[in-house]
Amino acid sequence: EQAIRAALELQKEFAKGRNMPSKKGDFPPFLRIGISTGLILLGKSDASGEFMTTGAAVNLAKRLRQNAPAGAVIISHDTYRFVRG
């Protein structure tokens, strides 16, 4: 539920920036957000030393985001089961 609320707040704040003047020919940017529920693994990359996440929930969230319309928040069915009502 907190992730969904945060995503909606991000969308709201990001929409404020779309009302700002931009250079001629620039398209206003849109956020696409995908949220999934499940186990993930957090680890540090050997190559870059940065933290990375892996797991089915991460992969599903990425696919949801890629398929989301501009300016949308899409949640997985498992996430919906936890927050419905």
Side-chain angles (χ1 to χ4, degrees):
E1 188 175 323
Q2 289 176 332
I4 294 169
R5 290 182 191 278
L8 293 172
E9 189 65 29
L10 276 170
Q11 291 289 27
K12 187 171 87 174
E13 291 300 316
F14 204 77
K16 290 179 185 177
R18 284 196 303 268
N19 296 328
M20 304 290 281
S22 62
K23 297 177 186 174
K24 186 177 178 179
D26 284 352
F27 293 98
F30 288 91
L31 285 179
R32 291 175 167 87
I33 300 174
I35 299 173
S36 181
T37 300
L39 296 176
I40 63 167
L41 180 64
L42 175 66
K44 210 170 194 183
S45 168
D46 291 335
S48 67
E50 295 181 7
F51 284 99
M52 297 175 27
T53 57
T54 60
V58 175
N59 294 333
L60 178 55
K62 180 181 176 182
R63 288 195 308 274
L64 290 170
R65 179 187 54 83
Q66 289 171 336
N67 291 303
V73 176
I74 296 184
I75 64 173
S76 70
H77 181 72
D78 287 339
T79 302
Y80 171 75
R81 285 189 355 219
F82 283 111
V83 299
R84 70 179 175 198

